[in-house]
Amino acid sequence: MNINTVKTTPFTDQRPGTSGLRKKVAVFQQPPYLHNFVQAIFDTQVSLKGGTLVLGGDGRYYNREAIQVIIKMAAANGVARVLVGRGGLLSTPAASAMIRKYETQGGIILSASHNPGGPDGDFGIKFNTPNGGPAAEGVTEAIFEHTKTLHEYRIMELPDIDIDHLTEHTIGTMRVEVIDPVADYAELMEQLFDFAAMRALIQGGFRLCFDAMHAITGPYAHEILERRLGAPAGSVINGEPKQDFGGGHPDPNLTYAEELVAQMFGADAPDLGAASDGDGDRNMILGANFFVTPSDSLAVLAANAELVPGYRGRLNGVARSMPTSCAVDKVAEKLEIACFETPTGWKFFGNLLDAGRIVFCGEESFGSGSDHVREKDGLWAVLYWLNILAVRQQSVAEIMKAHWAEYGRNYYTRHDYEGIGLEAARGLMAHVESQLPQLVGRELAGSTVSYADNFSYRDPVDGSVSRNQGLRIGFADGSRIIYRLSGTGTEGATLRLYIEHYEADPGRVRGETQQVLAGLITLAAEIAELRERTGRSAPTVIT
Ligand code: G16
């Protein structure tokens, strides 16, 4: 078998964003776009030479082709062993679990997460380090720097290999093992949760509906929820992974998980509803006629750790991303455990988890997870809720209301303005930032501004500093307004506006979240000259 060294020209736009390099499929399809990025991974991550690589993706359009390219390039770059999920499939948390279990030198995950797929959709690639987590900024920057000067890539000349059967191949000196993508993950879940209690709950007539959104979690949910826990067939909907996610938008929120939302807010709704995204790391939790915000979900997970076998007696700290509501902070305060505030991006939790400083972490963007892997984990969160429900024998709404009564309620919403012009978005952010110094001490929307800044984070473990992580306006009564530009979009810019208000006694408050937050929402738009600068009078998505 020949190793070809192919001359190439560098691209200037291969800087990974919040979570890996995400672009339109058509961009990746143009050789050598993918090849260059993969070569930059092999050139900079030298331990892969002679090492083991985990490889898989969420099954979106172009996944299979990319897997074949990466296998051939791994062989040409001296990788000793590749563990690839059957069919090229691995959910992001399952890939993380596998990197850790087999103590590999890292993994390549192919996904653009919750972004739509298909020939006109998005594709993505990211490298996860041996701890199982997304590479930290130092690593992604090194990869990016290398892409700017790369002038050749190496690839082995060979026909595509069979990745659809559990088998082994030898390619030159490299071994490729095609593995069951579900088995190791399901086993890990059985170690963490009380499967007997959950089975009993379901046998007693508790009904659940899990929407896999035609994405990666279908096979995992069928195996765990239906086969191992005994939920009736049909409890998992849209369970067959499709290359274009059935034409849908695999983002588990109230807008895109339409079918699930219709069931959960309809007559005779199931007791628990949940959905996960393209690559299986996000989750949305619903009760009958009830939506749990991701920020509240994180707080509930932390507050109920004693009920779950894998976490009993070991909760020493939690972390949330800066724009996530402060609900979990209240729990940490009461439990007298550490609580960290990090920038947006799961990679920022990695050091805290590795150092044993936290057990749980989560984000407003429908992500929660723990130290069992180094990614957020959609199905894990669903099982966690199921475990709590099995022990407490209350409904989702009752658990949430009891939580608010004990800790107070953080009213919270995120407004997304998708696909606005880059210049307009940057101008808006600069305009807000220029006003921050003058805002402190002013009385606005019924409270005093106590701080206003551009969030920057100093990692308490390695001391690295990440600046420009979002503009925050914090009020004396605990309210917050935050402006951020998304780092995961592939077209124009997405402005995210995060609004929060804390009520110690939620019983006093009348109205739905959007009404409660109306004053702050208007203020946020005024400060940013939002309508004038974006031409938009309403957000694209509200969560
Ligand atoms: C990724 C990151 C998350 C982040 C989310 C949204 O999630 O892993 O940490 O919260 O993007 O980021 P942004 O606000 O920059 O768009 P995923 O599920 O897309 O991998």
Short mmCIF file of all heavy atoms in Angstrom, two decimals, residues 197-259:
data_model
loop_
_atom_site.label_atom_id
_atom_site.label_comp_id
_atom_site.label_asym_id
_atom_site.label_seq_id
_atom_site.Cartn_x
_atom_site.Cartn_y
_atom_site.Cartn_z
N ALA A 197 -34.90 0.75 40.04
CA ALA A 197 -35.95 1.70 40.44
C ALA A 197 -36.63 2.29 39.20
O ALA A 197 -37.86 2.46 39.17
CB ALA A 197 -35.36 2.82 41.28
N MET A 198 -35.86 2.56 38.18
CA MET A 198 -36.44 3.16 36.96
C MET A 198 -37.33 2.14 36.23
O MET A 198 -38.38 2.48 35.72
CB MET A 198 -35.32 3.66 36.04
CG MET A 198 -34.51 4.79 36.68
SD MET A 198 -33.41 5.63 35.50
CE MET A 198 -32.05 4.53 35.45
N ARG A 199 -36.86 0.90 36.22
CA ARG A 199 -37.68 -0.16 35.59
C ARG A 199 -39.01 -0.30 36.32
O ARG A 199 -40.07 -0.41 35.72
CB ARG A 199 -36.92 -1.50 35.64
CG ARG A 199 -36.49 -1.99 34.26
CD ARG A 199 -36.00 -3.41 34.29
NE ARG A 199 -35.04 -3.70 35.34
CZ ARG A 199 -33.72 -3.60 35.20
NH1 ARG A 199 -33.18 -3.25 34.05
NH2 ARG A 199 -32.92 -3.88 36.20
N ALA A 200 -38.94 -0.27 37.66
CA ALA A 200 -40.16 -0.41 38.46
C ALA A 200 -41.11 0.75 38.18
O ALA A 200 -42.33 0.57 38.07
CB ALA A 200 -39.80 -0.48 39.94
N LEU A 201 -40.57 1.94 38.07
CA LEU A 201 -41.39 3.12 37.77
C LEU A 201 -42.15 2.92 36.46
O LEU A 201 -43.36 3.14 36.38
CB LEU A 201 -40.49 4.36 37.67
CG LEU A 201 -41.19 5.68 37.34
CD1 LEU A 201 -41.93 6.21 38.57
CD2 LEU A 201 -40.18 6.75 36.88
N ILE A 202 -41.43 2.47 35.45
CA ILE A 202 -42.03 2.30 34.13
C ILE A 202 -43.05 1.16 34.15
O ILE A 202 -44.14 1.27 33.58
CB ILE A 202 -40.93 2.08 33.07
CG1 ILE A 202 -40.16 3.39 32.88
CG2 ILE A 202 -41.50 1.60 31.74
CD1 ILE A 202 -38.88 3.29 32.09
N GLN A 203 -42.70 0.10 34.87
CA GLN A 203 -43.66 -1.02 34.98
C GLN A 203 -44.95 -0.57 35.65
O GLN A 203 -46.02 -1.08 35.36
CB GLN A 203 -43.05 -2.15 35.80
CG GLN A 203 -42.49 -3.26 34.92
CD GLN A 203 -41.59 -4.19 35.70
OE1 GLN A 203 -41.63 -4.24 36.93
NE2 GLN A 203 -40.76 -4.92 34.98
N GLY A 204 -44.83 0.40 36.54
CA GLY A 204 -46.00 0.90 37.27
C GLY A 204 -46.88 1.81 36.43
O GLY A 204 -47.83 2.40 36.94
N GLY A 205 -46.54 2.01 35.16
CA GLY A 205 -47.41 2.80 34.28
C GLY A 205 -46.89 4.18 33.94
O GLY A 205 -47.56 4.94 33.22
N PHE A 206 -45.73 4.55 34.45
CA PHE A 206 -45.14 5.85 34.12
C PHE A 206 -44.83 5.87 32.63
O PHE A 206 -44.26 4.94 32.08
CB PHE A 206 -43.84 6.01 34.93
CG PHE A 206 -43.11 7.30 34.71
CD1 PHE A 206 -43.30 8.38 35.56
CD2 PHE A 206 -42.21 7.45 33.64
CE1 PHE A 206 -42.61 9.57 35.37
CE2 PHE A 206 -41.53 8.63 33.44
CZ PHE A 206 -41.73 9.69 34.31
N ARG A 207 -45.22 6.98 31.96
CA ARG A 207 -45.02 7.01 30.50
C ARG A 207 -43.99 8.07 30.11
O ARG A 207 -43.99 9.18 30.65
CB ARG A 207 -46.35 7.31 29.80
CG ARG A 207 -47.33 6.13 29.91
CD ARG A 207 -48.58 6.39 29.12
NE ARG A 207 -49.20 7.63 29.54
CZ ARG A 207 -49.69 8.54 28.71
NH1 ARG A 207 -49.66 8.36 27.40
NH2 ARG A 207 -50.25 9.64 29.17
N LEU A 208 -43.15 7.71 29.16
CA LEU A 208 -42.16 8.69 28.70
C LEU A 208 -42.14 8.73 27.18
O LEU A 208 -42.49 7.75 26.51
CB LEU A 208 -40.78 8.38 29.27
CG LEU A 208 -40.09 7.08 28.86
CD1 LEU A 208 -39.19 7.31 27.66
CD2 LEU A 208 -39.25 6.58 30.01
N CYS A 209 -41.69 9.86 26.67
CA CYS A 209 -41.53 10.00 25.22
C CYS A 209 -40.18 10.66 24.97
O CYS A 209 -39.91 11.76 25.48
CB CYS A 209 -42.64 10.88 24.66
SG CYS A 209 -42.45 11.15 22.88
N PHE A 210 -39.32 9.95 24.25
CA PHE A 210 -38.00 10.50 23.94
C PHE A 210 -37.91 10.74 22.44
O PHE A 210 -38.08 9.82 21.64
CB PHE A 210 -36.90 9.52 24.38
CG PHE A 210 -35.52 10.02 24.06
CD1 PHE A 210 -34.85 10.88 24.92
CD2 PHE A 210 -34.89 9.66 22.88
CE1 PHE A 210 -33.58 11.36 24.61
CE2 PHE A 210 -33.62 10.13 22.56
CZ PHE A 210 -32.96 10.98 23.43
N ASP A 211 -37.62 11.97 22.06
CA ASP A 211 -37.52 12.33 20.64
C ASP A 211 -36.05 12.39 20.22
O ASP A 211 -35.32 13.29 20.64
CB ASP A 211 -38.19 13.70 20.43
CG ASP A 211 -38.31 14.07 18.95
OD1 ASP A 211 -37.74 13.34 18.10
OD2 ASP A 211 -38.96 15.09 18.66
N ALA A 212 -35.64 11.41 19.41
CA ALA A 212 -34.24 11.37 18.97
C ALA A 212 -34.02 12.26 17.74
O ALA A 212 -32.90 12.37 17.25
CB ALA A 212 -33.82 9.94 18.68
N MET A 213 -35.07 12.87 17.25
CA MET A 213 -34.99 13.85 16.16
C MET A 213 -34.25 13.31 14.92
O MET A 213 -33.55 14.05 14.24
CB MET A 213 -34.36 15.17 16.67
CG MET A 213 -35.11 15.74 17.85
SD MET A 213 -34.55 17.38 18.38
CE MET A 213 -35.55 18.45 17.35
N HIS A 214 -34.40 12.03 14.65
CA HIS A 214 -33.72 11.37 13.52
C HIS A 214 -32.22 11.55 13.56
O HIS A 214 -31.56 11.63 12.53
CB HIS A 214 -34.26 11.88 12.18
CG HIS A 214 -35.63 11.37 11.88
ND1 HIS A 214 -35.92 10.02 11.86
CD2 HIS A 214 -36.78 12.01 11.62
CE1 HIS A 214 -37.19 9.86 11.59
NE2 HIS A 214 -37.75 11.04 11.44
N ALA A 215 -31.70 11.67 14.77
CA ALA A 215 -30.26 11.90 14.90
C ALA A 215 -29.63 10.74 15.67
O ALA A 215 -30.22 9.67 15.80
CB ALA A 215 -30.03 13.24 15.56
N ILE A 216 -28.45 10.97 16.22
CA ILE A 216 -27.61 9.87 16.70
C ILE A 216 -28.18 9.11 17.89
O ILE A 216 -27.88 7.93 18.09
CB ILE A 216 -26.19 10.40 17.04
CG1 ILE A 216 -25.20 9.27 17.28
CG2 ILE A 216 -26.23 11.32 18.24
CD1 ILE A 216 -24.81 8.51 16.07
N THR A 217 -29.01 9.75 18.75
CA THR A 217 -29.38 9.04 19.98
C THR A 217 -30.41 7.93 19.78
O THR A 217 -30.65 7.17 20.71
CB THR A 217 -29.93 10.00 21.08
OG1 THR A 217 -30.90 10.84 20.49
CG2 THR A 217 -28.83 10.77 21.74
N GLY A 218 -31.01 7.84 18.58
CA GLY A 218 -32.01 6.79 18.35
C GLY A 218 -31.56 5.42 18.84
O GLY A 218 -32.21 4.82 19.72
N PRO A 219 -30.47 4.86 18.32
CA PRO A 219 -30.05 3.52 18.74
C PRO A 219 -29.74 3.43 20.24
O PRO A 219 -29.99 2.40 20.87
CB PRO A 219 -28.77 3.28 17.92
CG PRO A 219 -28.81 4.26 16.79
CD PRO A 219 -29.63 5.42 17.25
N TYR A 220 -29.20 4.49 20.81
CA TYR A 220 -28.89 4.49 22.24
C TYR A 220 -30.18 4.47 23.06
O TYR A 220 -30.31 3.75 24.05
CB TYR A 220 -28.09 5.75 22.62
CG TYR A 220 -26.72 5.82 21.96
CD1 TYR A 220 -26.57 6.32 20.67
CD2 TYR A 220 -25.59 5.38 22.63
CE1 TYR A 220 -25.32 6.39 20.07
CE2 TYR A 220 -24.34 5.44 22.03
CZ TYR A 220 -24.21 5.94 20.75
OH TYR A 220 -22.97 6.00 20.16
N ALA A 221 -31.16 5.27 22.64
CA ALA A 221 -32.41 5.36 23.39
C ALA A 221 -33.23 4.07 23.25
O ALA A 221 -33.83 3.60 24.23
CB ALA A 221 -33.22 6.56 22.90
N HIS A 222 -33.25 3.50 22.06
CA HIS A 222 -33.96 2.22 21.89
C HIS A 222 -33.37 1.18 22.84
O HIS A 222 -34.09 0.46 23.52
CB HIS A 222 -33.82 1.71 20.45
CG HIS A 222 -34.78 2.37 19.48
ND1 HIS A 222 -36.15 2.41 19.69
CD2 HIS A 222 -34.56 3.02 18.31
CE1 HIS A 222 -36.72 3.05 18.68
NE2 HIS A 222 -35.79 3.44 17.83
N GLU A 223 -32.05 1.11 22.88
CA GLU A 223 -31.40 0.09 23.71
C GLU A 223 -31.64 0.34 25.20
O GLU A 223 -32.03 -0.56 25.95
CB GLU A 223 -29.88 0.09 23.40
CG GLU A 223 -29.04 -0.79 24.31
CD GLU A 223 -29.37 -2.28 24.21
OE1 GLU A 223 -29.87 -2.71 23.15
OE2 GLU A 223 -29.13 -3.01 25.20
N ILE A 224 -31.41 1.59 25.63
CA ILE A 224 -31.44 1.84 27.08
C ILE A 224 -32.88 2.00 27.59
O ILE A 224 -33.28 1.36 28.56
CB ILE A 224 -30.59 3.08 27.43
CG1 ILE A 224 -29.13 2.80 27.07
CG2 ILE A 224 -30.72 3.44 28.90
CD1 ILE A 224 -28.20 3.99 27.18
N LEU A 225 -33.66 2.85 26.93
CA LEU A 225 -35.00 3.14 27.46
C LEU A 225 -35.97 1.99 27.19
O LEU A 225 -36.75 1.60 28.07
CB LEU A 225 -35.55 4.44 26.85
CG LEU A 225 -34.73 5.70 27.13
CD1 LEU A 225 -35.29 6.90 26.37
CD2 LEU A 225 -34.70 6.00 28.63
N GLU A 226 -35.93 1.47 25.98
CA GLU A 226 -36.92 0.43 25.65
C GLU A 226 -36.43 -0.96 26.04
O GLU A 226 -37.14 -1.69 26.73
CB GLU A 226 -37.26 0.50 24.16
CG GLU A 226 -38.00 1.81 23.82
CD GLU A 226 -38.40 1.95 22.34
OE1 GLU A 226 -37.93 1.14 21.50
OE2 GLU A 226 -39.17 2.87 22.05
N ARG A 227 -35.20 -1.33 25.62
CA ARG A 227 -34.76 -2.71 25.91
C ARG A 227 -34.36 -2.88 27.36
O ARG A 227 -34.84 -3.77 28.04
CB ARG A 227 -33.63 -3.12 24.98
CG ARG A 227 -34.18 -3.42 23.61
CD ARG A 227 -33.23 -3.99 22.61
NE ARG A 227 -33.71 -3.56 21.31
CZ ARG A 227 -33.15 -2.62 20.56
NH1 ARG A 227 -32.03 -2.04 20.93
NH2 ARG A 227 -33.69 -2.26 19.41
N ARG A 228 -33.49 -2.05 27.88
CA ARG A 228 -32.98 -2.28 29.23
C ARG A 228 -33.94 -1.81 30.33
O ARG A 228 -33.97 -2.38 31.41
CB ARG A 228 -31.62 -1.63 29.42
CG ARG A 228 -30.59 -2.18 28.45
CD ARG A 228 -29.17 -1.89 28.84
NE ARG A 228 -28.28 -2.34 27.76
CZ ARG A 228 -27.00 -2.58 27.88
NH1 ARG A 228 -26.41 -2.41 29.04
NH2 ARG A 228 -26.28 -2.98 26.84
N LEU A 229 -34.71 -0.74 30.07
CA LEU A 229 -35.61 -0.24 31.11
C LEU A 229 -37.06 -0.64 30.89
O LEU A 229 -37.92 -0.40 31.75
CB LEU A 229 -35.50 1.29 31.21
CG LEU A 229 -34.20 1.79 31.84
CD1 LEU A 229 -34.11 3.31 31.75
CD2 LEU A 229 -34.09 1.36 33.30
N GLY A 230 -37.35 -1.22 29.76
CA GLY A 230 -38.70 -1.77 29.54
C GLY A 230 -39.76 -0.78 29.13
O GLY A 230 -40.96 -1.09 29.21
N ALA A 231 -39.37 0.41 28.69
CA ALA A 231 -40.40 1.34 28.18
C ALA A 231 -41.02 0.72 26.93
O ALA A 231 -40.31 0.11 26.12
CB ALA A 231 -39.78 2.69 27.86
N PRO A 232 -42.33 0.85 26.76
CA PRO A 232 -42.98 0.21 25.61
C PRO A 232 -42.41 0.72 24.28
O PRO A 232 -41.99 1.88 24.19
CB PRO A 232 -44.45 0.63 25.73
CG PRO A 232 -44.61 1.24 27.06
CD PRO A 232 -43.26 1.60 27.60
N ALA A 233 -42.39 -0.16 23.28
CA ALA A 233 -41.95 0.25 21.95
C ALA A 233 -42.78 1.47 21.54
O ALA A 233 -43.98 1.53 21.84
CB ALA A 233 -42.16 -0.88 20.97
N GLY A 234 -42.13 2.43 20.92
CA GLY A 234 -42.86 3.66 20.56
C GLY A 234 -42.59 4.78 21.54
O GLY A 234 -42.95 5.93 21.30
N SER A 235 -41.95 4.44 22.68
CA SER A 235 -41.60 5.50 23.64
C SER A 235 -40.52 6.39 23.04
O SER A 235 -40.39 7.56 23.38
CB SER A 235 -41.08 4.91 24.95
OG SER A 235 -42.05 4.09 25.53
N VAL A 236 -39.71 5.80 22.14
CA VAL A 236 -38.69 6.57 21.44
C VAL A 236 -39.25 6.94 20.07
O VAL A 236 -39.63 6.06 19.30
CB VAL A 236 -37.39 5.76 21.27
CG1 VAL A 236 -36.36 6.53 20.44
CG2 VAL A 236 -36.81 5.38 22.64
N ILE A 237 -39.33 8.21 19.77
CA ILE A 237 -39.83 8.62 18.45
C ILE A 237 -38.70 9.18 17.60
O ILE A 237 -37.68 9.64 18.13
CB ILE A 237 -41.01 9.63 18.54
CG1 ILE A 237 -40.59 10.92 19.27
CG2 ILE A 237 -42.22 8.99 19.24
CD1 ILE A 237 -41.64 12.02 19.23
N ASN A 238 -38.87 9.13 16.30
CA ASN A 238 -37.84 9.58 15.34
C ASN A 238 -36.48 8.95 15.67
O ASN A 238 -35.45 9.60 15.69
CB ASN A 238 -37.72 11.11 15.35
CG ASN A 238 -39.04 11.77 14.97
OD1 ASN A 238 -39.73 11.32 14.06
ND2 ASN A 238 -39.42 12.80 15.70
N GLY A 239 -36.52 7.63 15.93
CA GLY A 239 -35.34 6.93 16.46
C GLY A 239 -34.37 6.41 15.42
O GLY A 239 -33.37 5.80 15.78
N GLU A 240 -34.67 6.63 14.15
CA GLU A 240 -33.74 6.12 13.14
C GLU A 240 -32.86 7.27 12.65
O GLU A 240 -33.35 8.25 12.09
CB GLU A 240 -34.56 5.56 11.96
CG GLU A 240 -33.73 4.83 10.95
CD GLU A 240 -34.51 4.66 9.64
OE1 GLU A 240 -35.77 4.65 9.69
OE2 GLU A 240 -33.87 4.58 8.59
N PRO A 241 -31.53 7.15 12.84
CA PRO A 241 -30.65 8.25 12.40
C PRO A 241 -30.72 8.42 10.88
O PRO A 241 -30.68 7.44 10.15
CB PRO A 241 -29.25 7.79 12.81
CG PRO A 241 -29.45 6.70 13.80
CD PRO A 241 -30.76 6.07 13.48
N LYS A 242 -30.87 9.64 10.43
CA LYS A 242 -30.90 9.91 8.99
C LYS A 242 -29.86 10.96 8.65
O LYS A 242 -29.58 11.85 9.45
CB LYS A 242 -32.29 10.40 8.57
CG LYS A 242 -33.35 9.32 8.75
CD LYS A 242 -34.63 9.69 8.06
CE LYS A 242 -35.62 8.53 8.17
NZ LYS A 242 -37.00 8.95 8.05
N GLN A 243 -29.36 10.86 7.42
CA GLN A 243 -28.28 11.77 7.01
C GLN A 243 -28.70 13.24 7.03
O GLN A 243 -27.87 14.12 7.18
CB GLN A 243 -27.81 11.41 5.61
CG GLN A 243 -27.04 10.11 5.55
CD GLN A 243 -26.20 10.01 4.30
OE1 GLN A 243 -26.49 10.67 3.30
NE2 GLN A 243 -25.15 9.22 4.35
N ASP A 244 -30.00 13.46 6.82
CA ASP A 244 -30.46 14.86 6.82
C ASP A 244 -31.42 15.11 7.99
O ASP A 244 -32.17 16.07 7.99
CB ASP A 244 -31.15 15.20 5.50
CG ASP A 244 -32.43 14.40 5.32
OD1 ASP A 244 -32.65 13.44 6.10
OD2 ASP A 244 -33.21 14.72 4.42
N PHE A 245 -31.39 14.21 8.97
CA PHE A 245 -32.24 14.32 10.16
C PHE A 245 -33.72 14.44 9.76
O PHE A 245 -34.48 15.19 10.37
CB PHE A 245 -31.81 15.49 11.05
CG PHE A 245 -30.35 15.46 11.40
CD1 PHE A 245 -29.48 16.47 11.00
CD2 PHE A 245 -29.81 14.38 12.09
CE1 PHE A 245 -28.13 16.42 11.29
CE2 PHE A 245 -28.46 14.33 12.39
CZ PHE A 245 -27.61 15.34 11.99
N GLY A 246 -34.07 13.73 8.68
CA GLY A 246 -35.45 13.76 8.22
C GLY A 246 -35.87 15.14 7.76
O GLY A 246 -37.07 15.47 7.76
N GLY A 247 -34.90 15.96 7.38
CA GLY A 247 -35.23 17.32 6.92
C GLY A 247 -35.44 18.28 8.08
O GLY A 247 -35.72 19.46 7.87
N GLY A 248 -35.30 17.79 9.30
CA GLY A 248 -35.57 18.66 10.46
C GLY A 248 -34.32 19.37 10.95
O GLY A 248 -33.24 19.25 10.39
N HIS A 249 -34.51 20.11 12.02
CA HIS A 249 -33.43 20.87 12.64
C HIS A 249 -33.20 20.18 13.99
O HIS A 249 -34.00 20.35 14.92
CB HIS A 249 -33.93 22.31 12.83
CG HIS A 249 -32.86 23.28 13.18
ND1 HIS A 249 -32.87 24.57 12.75
CD2 HIS A 249 -31.73 23.15 13.91
CE1 HIS A 249 -31.81 25.21 13.21
NE2 HIS A 249 -31.10 24.35 13.92
N PRO A 250 -32.12 19.38 14.12
CA PRO A 250 -31.99 18.52 15.30
C PRO A 250 -31.53 19.28 16.55
O PRO A 250 -30.49 18.98 17.13
CB PRO A 250 -30.94 17.50 14.86
CG PRO A 250 -30.06 18.26 13.94
CD PRO A 250 -30.94 19.26 13.24
N ASP A 251 -32.32 20.27 16.93
CA ASP A 251 -32.00 21.09 18.09
C ASP A 251 -33.13 20.94 19.09
O ASP A 251 -34.27 21.33 18.81
CB ASP A 251 -31.88 22.56 17.62
CG ASP A 251 -31.16 23.41 18.65
OD1 ASP A 251 -30.82 22.88 19.71
OD2 ASP A 251 -30.95 24.60 18.37
N PRO A 252 -32.85 20.32 20.24
CA PRO A 252 -33.93 20.03 21.18
C PRO A 252 -34.40 21.26 21.93
O PRO A 252 -33.97 21.52 23.05
CB PRO A 252 -33.29 19.00 22.12
CG PRO A 252 -31.84 19.33 22.09
CD PRO A 252 -31.54 19.91 20.74
N ASN A 253 -35.23 22.05 21.32
CA ASN A 253 -35.83 23.18 22.03
C ASN A 253 -37.31 23.24 21.68
O ASN A 253 -37.81 22.44 20.88
CB ASN A 253 -35.10 24.49 21.72
CG ASN A 253 -35.13 24.83 20.23
OD1 ASN A 253 -36.14 24.60 19.55
ND2 ASN A 253 -34.03 25.35 19.72
N LEU A 254 -38.01 24.21 22.26
CA LEU A 254 -39.47 24.24 22.08
C LEU A 254 -39.86 24.55 20.64
O LEU A 254 -40.97 24.24 20.21
CB LEU A 254 -40.07 25.28 23.03
CG LEU A 254 -39.96 24.93 24.52
CD1 LEU A 254 -40.44 26.07 25.39
CD2 LEU A 254 -40.73 23.66 24.85
N THR A 255 -38.96 25.16 19.89
CA THR A 255 -39.28 25.50 18.50
C THR A 255 -39.10 24.29 17.59
O THR A 255 -39.96 23.98 16.76
CB THR A 255 -38.37 26.65 18.01
OG1 THR A 255 -38.47 27.71 18.94
CG2 THR A 255 -38.76 27.12 16.63
N TYR A 256 -37.97 23.59 17.71
CA TYR A 256 -37.64 22.56 16.73
C TYR A 256 -38.11 21.15 17.09
O TYR A 256 -38.26 20.32 16.20
CB TYR A 256 -36.13 22.57 16.46
CG TYR A 256 -35.67 23.86 15.81
CD1 TYR A 256 -34.64 24.61 16.34
CD2 TYR A 256 -36.30 24.34 14.66
CE1 TYR A 256 -34.23 25.80 15.75
CE2 TYR A 256 -35.90 25.52 14.06
CZ TYR A 256 -34.86 26.25 14.61
OH TYR A 256 -34.47 27.43 14.03
N ALA A 257 -38.32 20.86 18.35
CA ALA A 257 -38.81 19.51 18.71
C ALA A 257 -40.34 19.50 18.69
O ALA A 257 -41.00 19.16 19.67
CB ALA A 257 -38.27 19.11 20.08
N GLU A 258 -40.88 19.86 17.53
CA GLU A 258 -42.34 20.10 17.42
C GLU A 258 -43.20 18.91 17.82
O GLU A 258 -44.20 19.05 18.52
CB GLU A 258 -42.69 20.40 15.96
CG GLU A 258 -42.23 21.69 15.46
CD GLU A 258 -42.17 21.72 13.94
OE1 GLU A 258 -42.51 20.73 13.30
OE2 GLU A 258 -41.75 22.78 13.43
N GLU A 259 -42.80 17.73 17.32
CA GLU A 259 -43.64 16.56 17.54
C GLU A 259 -43.73 16.24 19.03
O GLU A 259 -44.81 15.97 19.57
CB GLU A 259 -43.03 15.36 16.77
CG GLU A 259 -43.98 14.21 16.62
CD GLU A 259 -43.35 13.06 15.82
OE1 GLU A 259 -42.42 13.29 15.02
OE2 GLU A 259 -43.80 11.92 16.04
#
